Amino acid sequence: MIPCYDGFPLEEKQAKIKSALASEFNGFPQRLRNTLNALEISQKGLSPLCEIEVFESCNLLQKLPQEDEWRAKKRAAKNKKEQPEEPKLPVRCLTLNNTVANLAERLANTEGKHAFSFTPEADTVAQKWKSAMSDFSVMLRQSYDGTKYEREARSADAVNVHIDHLLWNVVMCGTPYRVVNNYTDGFQSRIAVARTPDNTFAPLEDKPPVLTDRQRERIQQIAHLLPLMYGEVVLPKLEAKGREWVERIRLETMKNDDRTRARQRIRVCVTAQRMTCCLMLCKVCEGLIQKHGLNGAETQLKQQPNLWKEMLLKAQTPAMLETYDVIADSLLENALYFFRDRIENAFQSRDYAGNLYGERTKRGRNDSIFERLDQQFSFDQAMQHSVAVKGANVNHNTVRQMLKNWRKQGLVVQEEDGNYRKL
């Protein structure tokens, strides 16, 4: 184990890594050797923002022993008056096999940086968060918008968090229906869904395509440089491309009155812009590495904080803007492939609150009367069908009030001759 306590000299840590790599111990774990090799690549060890496997492993390896030590002290002092203080460790790779309270506390301790969660099985979320799926939805919706997240409890021992900007990225593999079960709260439109290729009839390959060592190394290098880019920048060409795509979809959906596709396009546009911007940032990092090398690129970004902004503006090339169209179209089609029927059924459901002041959803005897009437009908006909449905106690005032309500709801209009016509 390589010690990583506060104040541990960087030079001594690097010396420990080299010593471990030079070890002749036959049982030396290959995965640990790979991790140490990756650590040795960077002259400054590991950036706390590296979004790669090495970051995930080392971030947890450095923090979990401290938590284990605290838990041991906590158990030992179970019946003692003085309890050990719980450490607030900035662990940013968070397991989804967790409780709402624990996850909220972890998110509050990330020191304003992004937190990441990944699970190869969406059922982990579906089962663990079964009774708290609404909390999961709320937290992800707020993280998509980068808004404030707060959780309070009266007990001093309970988790109380106040996060100004919730930053949390979640990646899951599995069937989307296991996680998305509400189609009217905005959660579904804030996620990006991808489909794995259909390999039903594909031949079995002896050597399936995998990342090469060079590709892995370049990913690590780019992930090391990305945290050095911070601030705000306006990308006029990318924004114009997004507006052009949104308008194109709007015109297409107006032709066939596809309201579901028209509504989906709004957040798909934003998600696609974010993904395209990420690709452009990676392109900027790649260009700096090719020109200056990893160490030189890092030096350039530190000495010129606005360099990445200038390069990002130049990265709005026609090829990259075409990539936006590909991403946006894919996101839109996948969302409709998985969720179209469920979205439409949810909005047409009588339980959807949005219909209380719009379309009528609760069906009663008046609806049966309405369906029995012809496209054009008279007051006497409405009276006749009302008696048939409700019984002989129906009077003229009851029918007049029913017709009045139908006019207010936009179901019928009264013609000049006094008769009624359905709309």
Side-chain angles (χ1 to χ4, degrees), residues 49-170:
L49 286 174
C50 288
E51 301 154 18
I52 53 177
E53 181 181 358
V54 176
F55 155 72
E56 179 177 352
S57 302
C58 294
N59 181 257
L60 292 175
L61 284 173
Q62 291 178 6
K63 306 303 179 185
L64 292 182
Q66 300 179 45
E67 287 199 344
D68 291 340
E69 182 181 355
W70 170 77
R71 287 192 177 92
K73 292 180 179 178
K74 182 77 173 177
R75 287 192 296 268
K78 183 176 181 180
N79 297 321
K80 295 182 180 180
K81 189 174 182 179
E82 294 184 0
Q83 297 289 317
E85 184 178 355
E86 182 178 359
K88 303 294 184 182
L89 302 176
V91 177
R92 297 172 54 213
C93 293
L94 310 179
T95 176
L96 290 172
N97 191 3
N98 212 334
T99 65
V100 178
N102 288 341
L103 193 55
E105 190 171 29
R106 290 286 199 195
L107 290 169
N109 293 333
T110 58
E111 299 175 348
K113 302 181 179 69
H114 267 89
F116 305 90
S117 295
F118 169 76
T119 176
E121 292 292 343
D123 279 352
T124 300
V125 175
Q127 294 299 324
K128 186 66 178 181
W129 294 68
K130 190 172 184 180
S131 60
M133 192 58 74
S134 60
D135 292 306
F136 183 72
S137 172
V138 168
M139 294 172 75
L140 283 182
R141 278 183 279 155
Q142 290 184 297
S143 65
Y144 181 93
D145 300 329
T147 55
K148 182 181 294 186
Y149 176 78
E150 295 182 318
R151 177 188 174 93
E152 288 193 358
R154 180 171 297 181
S155 173
D157 297 328
V159 174
N160 292 268
V161 298
H162 301 274
I163 305 173
D164 290 333
H165 301 285
L166 182 58
L167 304 174
W168 183 32
N169 290 348
V170 176

Side-chain angles (χ1 to χ4, degrees), residues 353-417:
N355 281 335
L356 290 178
Y357 300 100
E359 298 179 2
R360 304 174 70 239
T361 56
K362 185 176 180 180
R363 300 190 60 80
R365 287 184 292 180
N366 283 358
D367 295 277
S368 300
I369 298 170
F370 185 83
E371 291 176 352
R372 291 166 64 107
L373 291 166
D374 294 331
Q375 185 65 27
Q376 292 183 328
F377 60 92
S378 64
F379 179 88
D380 291 337
Q381 290 171 329
M383 183 71 184
Q384 179 183 353
H385 286 290
S386 297
V387 171
V389 173
K390 294 184 176 182
N393 294 329
V394 174
N395 55 44
H396 284 72
N397 290 334
T398 303
V399 176
R400 287 194 185 94
Q401 185 61 45
M402 178 184 70
L403 294 172
K404 182 179 179 181
N405 292 339
W406 286 354
R407 291 200 305 273
K408 287 184 178 180
Q409 294 163 2
L411 298 176
V412 300
V413 293
Q414 189 170 14
E415 304 286 356
E416 294 181 358
D417 59 0

Side-chain angles (χ1 to χ4, degrees), residues 219-385:
I219 291 173
Q220 293 173 4
Q221 291 174 346
I222 290 176
H224 180 74
L225 294 180
L226 285 174
L228 301 176
M229 304 177 184
Y230 55 89
E232 297 181 359
V233 62
V234 177
L235 302 175
K237 293 183 180 180
L238 182 58
E239 181 180 355
K241 188 65 176 178
R243 290 178 177 274
E244 176 188 328
W245 182 85
V246 166
E247 180 64 12
R248 174 170 64 83
I249 301 299
R250 185 184 74 87
L251 295 176
E252 290 177 2
T253 53
M254 285 178 63
K255 294 177 181 178
N256 58 0
D257 195 32
D258 192 344
R259 294 177 177 270
T260 304
R261 191 163 183 255
R263 291 296 304 173
Q264 287 290 307
R265 84 190 196 281
I266 298 173
R267 284 207 178 100
V268 165
C269 171
V270 177
T271 304
Q273 285 178 326
R274 292 180 180 183
M275 296 174 73
T276 306
C277 184
C278 289
L279 292 176
M280 291 165 58
L281 287 169
C282 292
K283 189 67 176 177
V284 169
C285 292
E286 185 182 33
L288 288 171
I289 293 172
Q290 290 176 345
K291 186 175 182 179
H292 304 285
L294 177 61
N295 296 332
E298 184 176 353
T299 302
Q300 289 287 323
L301 289 172
K302 288 182 177 179
Q303 291 179 351
Q304 305 179 59
N306 292 324
L307 175 62
W308 69 272
K309 297 182 181 180
E310 300 170 4
M311 297 183 66
L312 189 63
L313 288 170
K314 296 178 181 178
Q316 300 176 98
T317 61
M320 191 61 72
L321 295 178
E322 287 180 10
T323 302
Y324 169 86
D325 281 334
V326 174
I327 294 174
D329 289 340
S330 176
L331 292 176
L332 182 60
E333 296 311 314
N334 283 336
L336 295 175
Y337 174 83
F338 284 107
F339 303 123
R340 176 189 281 277
D341 291 341
R342 296 168 183 257
I343 292 171
E344 292 174 351
N345 291 337
F347 278 98
Q348 292 172 4
S349 170
R350 66 182 63 182
D351 298 324
Y352 176 50
N355 281 335
L356 290 178
Y357 300 100
E359 298 179 2
R360 304 174 70 239
T361 56
K362 185 176 180 180
R363 300 190 60 80
R365 287 184 292 180
N366 283 358
D367 295 277
S368 300
I369 298 170
F370 185 83
E371 291 176 352
R372 291 166 64 107
L373 291 166
D374 294 331
Q375 185 65 27
Q376 292 183 328
F377 60 92
S378 64
F379 179 88
D380 291 337
Q381 290 171 329
M383 183 71 184
Q384 179 183 353
H385 286 290

Side-chain angles (χ1 to χ4, degrees), residues 7-64:
F8 192 78
L10 180 61
E11 296 78 8
E12 190 171 348
K13 182 190 296 185
Q14 294 176 343
K16 294 284 186 182
I17 293 174
K18 291 181 179 179
S19 176
L21 287 170
S23 172
E24 297 181 358
F25 177 52
N26 294 330
F28 195 75
Q30 183 61 37
R31 186 172 181 182
L32 181 56
R33 183 180 292 278
N34 293 340
T35 300
L36 292 172
N37 278 324
L39 280 170
E40 193 180 33
I41 290 174
S42 173
Q43 289 185 343
K44 295 194 174 181
L46 188 66
S47 169
L49 286 174
C50 288
E51 301 154 18
I52 53 177
E53 181 181 358
V54 176
F55 155 72
E56 179 177 352
S57 302
C58 294
N59 181 257
L60 292 175
L61 284 173
Q62 291 178 6
K63 306 303 179 185
L64 292 182

